[in-house]
């Protein structure tokens, strides 16, 4: 069963991307997954969404480092090529880009992962903080062709207030 997000969000998938069941694709802890329509040499670019409540004092940079450590457990090499803060004090975010080599589907691949962390703060209680993580994983060869889709996807992400437009 797919994980659930700590806060509801809404978003639009880029044209051609299709939702996929995370549990059937070996993605534990993922609440949502979408696949690109054209694989590259057997690897399908994907967007995943997960998140959790983080009442601790960890910064978004700390959480990004935690993610790098987890990726290093399964990848042959991992390099953080960029990391930058985004958003505002009321709606902080962080983006990082990783390059890595990993074996997927029995084949060693050079992959790129773009990770974006969005913090949702409870104005009435600063210790109630939810963090949503949005990740694009693709081959190095695919990156130029899918990063624009990921940026479009990110621009569409918003809290789901339940209000009808």
């Amino acid at each position: 069963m797919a994980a659930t997000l700590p806060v509801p969000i809404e978003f639009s998938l880029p044209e051609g991307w299709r939702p996929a069941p995370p549990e059937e694709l070996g993605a534990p802890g993922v609440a949502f997954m979408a696949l690109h329509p054209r694989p590259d040499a057997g690897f399908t670019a994907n967007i995943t969404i997960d998140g959790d409540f983080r009442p601790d004092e960890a910064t978004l940079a700390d959480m990004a480092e935690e993610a790098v450590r987890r990726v290093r457990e399964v990848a042959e090499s991992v390099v953080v090529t960029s990391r930058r803060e985004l958003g505002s004090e009321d709606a902080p975010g962080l983006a990082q880009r990783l390059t890595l080599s990993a074996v997927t589907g029995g084949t060693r691949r050079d992959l790129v992962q773009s990770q974006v962390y969005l913090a949702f703060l409870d104005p009435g209680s600063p210790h109630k903080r939810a963090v949503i993580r949005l990740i694009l994983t693709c081959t190095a060869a695919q990156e130029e062709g899918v990063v624009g889709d990921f940026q479009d996807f990110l621009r569409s992400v918003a809290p789901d207030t339940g209000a009808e437009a």
Side-chain angles (χ1 to χ4, degrees), residues 40-107:
D40 175 37
F43 184 86
T44 303
N46 60 80
I47 294 172
T48 59
I49 305 172
D50 64 29
D52 207 351
F53 284 106
R54 291 295 301 247
D56 60 0
E57 298 297 321
T59 65
L60 293 178
D62 293 337
M63 292 176 216
E65 275 301 316
E66 290 171 9
V68 171
R69 284 192 294 277
R70 284 192 304 273
V71 172
R72 283 192 173 123
E73 291 173 5
V74 297
E76 294 173 1
S77 68
V78 179
V79 176
V80 178
T81 61
S82 66
R83 180 179 291 160
R84 65 185 173 89
E85 292 183 10
L86 7 131
S88 65
E89 188 175 320
D90 295 333
L94 182 136
Q96 75 176 358
R97 179 180 178 273
L98 311 177
T99 58
L100 57 125
S101 287
V103 175
T104 64
T107 302

